[in-house]
């Protein structure tokens, strides 16, 4: 929830990426994959300062099969992939 509120990103995003590396569809408080969605919605300005986590997240996203996620999540993944990092 804090990532979604953009609180503590420098501490929380690297931790979240580690969780996603183990389980790309890890469930936070709402539904399977909600942690992934929260992290890929982090503003682009953050990723400029944390290129390592962005690269690791891109590797995670490459493992997510389109059929594993809903249309909205697929759209968010595609949007993230098109954003400059």
């Amino acid at each position: 929830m804090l990532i979604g509120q953009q609180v503590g990103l420098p501490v929380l995003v690297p931790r979240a990426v580690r969780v996603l590396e183990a389980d790309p569809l890890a469930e936070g408080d709402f539904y399977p994959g909600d942690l992934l969605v929260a992290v890929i919605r982090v503003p682009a300005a953050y990723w400029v300062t944390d290129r390592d986590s962005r690269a690791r997240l891109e590797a995670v996203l490459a493992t997510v099969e389109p059929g594993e996620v809903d249309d909205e999540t697929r759209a968010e993944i595609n949007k993230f992939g098109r954003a400059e990092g």
Side-chain angles (χ1 to χ4, degrees):
M1 288 174 55
L2 290 173
I3 292 172
Q5 297 170 354
Q6 300 179 21
V7 174
L9 295 179
V11 173
L12 296 176
V13 168
R15 293 176 122 198
V17 170
R18 280 193 298 275
V19 170
L20 294 169
E21 287 173 323
D23 179 5
L25 299 179
E27 184 172 348
D29 289 330
F30 303 111
Y31 57 89
D34 64 347
L35 179 61
L36 178 66
V37 171
V39 173
I40 61 179
R41 287 182 176 166
V42 166
Y46 171 80
W47 298 111
V48 173
T49 65
D50 190 358
R51 293 185 185 276
D52 178 62
S53 290
R54 180 179 175 97
R56 291 171 47 215
L57 180 58
E58 288 172 349
V60 169
L61 294 175
T63 69
V64 176
E65 295 292 330
E68 293 180 308
V69 295
D70 61 26
D71 292 341
E72 183 177 340
T73 302
R74 266 193 305 283
E76 291 287 343
I77 290 171
N78 290 334
K79 181 179 173 184
F80 182 86
R82 290 190 306 270
E84 291 186 25

